[in-house]
Amino acid sequence: MNYRKGYLVLSLTAAAVLYSCGSGNGQENAQPIPALPTDFIQVKSGNEDVSTGYPGSMEGQDNVEIKAQVTGYLEAVYIKEGQYVSKGQTLFRINPSVYNEQVNTNAAALKSALAAQETARLEVEKLKPLVEGKVVSDMQLKTAQASYNAASAQVAQAQSSLGSSKISANFTYIKAPVSGYIGRIPNRVGNLISPSDASPLTNLSNINTVNVYFSMNEADFIAHSRAAASGQNNDNVELILADGSMYSYKGRLENASGNFDRTTGSIQMKAVFQNPDKLLRSGGTARVLIHNALDGVIRLPKTSVKDIQDKFFVYKLEGKDKVKMAQIKVSGSTSQDYFVKEGVHAGDKIAVNRIDALTDGTPVAAKVIPSK
C-alpha cells in the first residue's frame, strides 16, 4: 500500500512539472500580430462636376406606322427598306381601278343633279312673272321653289359623294406624312391590303432629332429639380454610344412623364439630341450622362472602396496604427473615382491599398501618401 501511495505522489509531481514547462513555452512562443503596411490618403472636400449615367433607348422625333386607308391589292412599292424619303413622297400604290370607277359614277350623278337643279331654276324663273301678273297662283311658284331647293340639296349630296370618292381614290397612293427613314416592308406586290391589317406597310422614322428615353429614381429627380431651380443648365447632357464612344453633340433634358410609376418608383425622362449626321437611329440604345455641380463633395478612388451587397465601405485610420470600417454613401462616380456625400469627412485618412486584407481593428503600419 505504501508503495502505491508513493508512486501516485511521484506521478502527480511529474505531471505538474511537465504542465509548468509546457505553459511557459506557450507564453514564450506567442507572437503579436504584425502591423500591415498600408497606404492612406488624407481626403479633402471641393467642388466637383458629378455625372450620373442612365441606360436609355432611342426614338426618332416622329415615328409613324404607315397603314392603308382603303382596301385593295398592292400594285407598286416605290421605296426600299432603309431608304430616306421626303414628306409627301409616294411610297406605295394600291390598285385604284375600283375607286376611279366610283369617282366616275359620282361625277355622272353630280352632272345629273346639276341638270335637275337647272330645270327647277328655270321653272321658278318662268313662274315669277306669271304670278306677278296673276296668271297663275302663288302656290304654283312656292311648289316650284320647293322643287328647286330639293334639286339643290341633291347637287350638294352628289358633290359630297364625288369628293369622298376622290379622297378614297387618292388614298390608293400612300405618301410619306413626314421625312425620315423607311423600316421593314413585310408586304409585296399582289398582297391584299386593308386598314384592319395588324402589321403596318412599314414604319417611318424622322431622326433629325432623337429622343433618348430613360428612367430616373425619385431621389435623383428631386436633386435634378432642385439643381434646375437654382439655375443649373439642362443643356449639358452627354450620350455614351453602344461602342463606348462619346456622342459629338450635347443634348437637353426634358420630362417625358408627369408622374412616378408606383411599381418602380421612377419617372420617365428624355434627353433630346440633334442628329445631323444620322448616326442615331430609332430602337438603338445608349447611356445618358447628366452632369451636376456639387459643392463640398469628397472624391475617393474606387480602389479604396469595398462593395459588399451593394453597400460601400472604406477603412479609416483610427489613431496611428489601427483601422475602422465605415459605410459611405455615393452621389456619383467616374471611371476611377467615387463622389462621397456621407460617411467620410475632410481630413479623414482612408486606406487605398490592401483593402481585401484589412478588417475592422486591424493594426497597420500607416503611410500617408499624396492624393491624386
Side-chain angles (χ1 to χ4, degrees):
M1 293 292 291
N2 292 333
Y3 171 76
R4 288 181 178 178
K5 289 181 179 179
Y7 179 78
L8 179 60
V9 170
L10 183 60
S11 298
L12 291 173
T13 302
V17 171
L18 289 172
Y19 174 79
S20 175
C21 293
S23 177
N25 290 336
Q27 291 176 354
E28 290 175 0
N29 293 333
Q31 298 292 331
I33 299 174
L36 193 64
T38 308
D39 294 337
F40 291 82
I41 59 171
Q42 187 167 5
V43 298
K44 54 186 178 180
S45 63
N47 299 332
E48 297 285 352
D49 179 19
V50 180
S51 60
T52 307
Y54 302 89
S57 59
M58 302 180 195
E59 288 187 16
Q61 176 183 353
D62 300 304
N63 291 285
V64 183
E65 287 189 345
I66 307 298
K67 303 192 76 172
Q69 293 180 273
V70 293
T71 299
Y73 289 97
L74 186 61
E75 191 173 71
V77 178
Y78 297 108
I79 39 85
K80 296 180 180 179
E81 294 172 334
Q83 178 181 341
Y84 182 84
V85 297
S86 301
K87 181 179 180 180
Q89 182 175 336
T90 301
L91 309 178
F92 305 94
R93 185 181 78 238
I94 294 173
N95 190 310
S97 301
V98 173
Y99 301 97
N100 288 339
E101 286 304 315
Q102 288 179 350
V103 171
N104 294 335
T105 299
N106 289 329
L110 176 59
K111 289 180 180 180
S112 176
L114 287 170
Q117 182 191 40
E118 181 63 15
T119 300
R121 187 188 68 79
L122 291 173
E123 182 67 17
V124 170
E125 293 299 322
K126 182 184 74 173
L127 290 175
K128 280 183 178 180
L130 296 177
V131 170
E132 291 174 357
K134 300 187 183 298
V135 176
V136 297
S137 67
D138 183 59
M139 184 59 67
Q140 287 180 292
L141 179 59
K142 289 181 178 179
T143 301
Q145 185 66 48
S147 297
Y148 174 75
N149 292 340
S152 298
Q154 289 295 322
V155 169
Q157 185 176 6
Q159 288 174 333
S160 178
S161 297
L162 178 60
S164 179
S165 62
K166 285 182 177 179
I167 291 173
S168 295
N170 288 333
F171 281 155
T172 61
Y173 292 86
I174 301 171
K175 299 182 179 182
V178 296
S179 299
Y181 284 89
I182 295 294
R184 184 173 175 269
I185 304 174
N187 290 289
R188 296 294 179 263
V189 172
N191 285 94
L192 180 63
I193 306 301
S194 171
S196 61
D197 291 342
S199 299
L201 291 170
T202 190
N203 291 283
L204 183 58
S205 179
N206 178 2
I207 57 172
N208 290 329
T209 300
V210 171
N211 300 326
V212 184
Y213 290 89
F214 62 96
S215 296
M216 180 181 284
N217 62 47
E218 188 171 359
D220 286 355
F221 178 77
I222 293 172
H224 161 70
S225 299
R226 286 174 175 168
S230 66
Q232 286 194 22
N233 192 356
N234 279 350
D235 297 338
N236 191 29
V237 181
E238 293 183 307
L239 194 66
I240 300 177
L241 303 179
D243 63 353
S245 64
M246 187 72 72
Y247 186 54
S248 303
Y249 301 91
K250 292 186 177 182
R252 68 178 185 275
L253 192 62
E254 295 181 0
N255 286 4
S257 174
N259 302 301
F260 286 94
D261 187 322
R262 292 179 182 272
T263 57
T264 63
S266 61
I267 191 169
Q268 279 288 306
M269 304 289 288
K270 67 179 178 181
V272 183
F273 292 88
Q274 296 299 314
N275 191 27
D277 303 326
K278 305 298 185 291
L279 180 62
L280 308 181
R281 298 295 179 98
S282 291
T285 59
R287 190 169 182 83
V288 178
L289 282 182
I290 299 176
H291 295 270
N292 292 312
L294 299 182
D295 298 330
V297 70
I298 290 175
R299 179 194 289 257
L300 284 180
K302 288 185 176 180
T303 55
S304 68
V305 179
K306 180 178 285 189
D307 184 352
I308 303 176
Q309 296 181 347
D310 295 330
K311 294 182 179 180
F312 299 100
F313 299 87
V314 295
Y315 289 100
K316 295 182 181 181
L317 182 63
E318 291 284 309
K320 294 183 178 180
D321 57 0
K322 287 189 178 181
V323 293
K324 180 177 180 61
M325 179 183 265
Q327 184 176 350
I328 62 172
K329 290 188 178 181
V330 172
S331 59
S333 66
T334 66
S335 60
Q336 297 181 338
D337 300 316
Y338 284 120
F339 298 108
V340 181
K341 62 180 179 180
E342 289 183 22
V344 174
H345 301 91
D348 288 345
K349 296 180 177 68
I350 305 299
V352 294
N353 66 345
R354 302 188 182 277
I355 299 301
D356 294 331
L358 296 176
T359 59
D360 202 26
T362 300
V364 294
K367 178 184 177 182
V368 178
I369 61 174
S371 59
K372 297 180 180 180

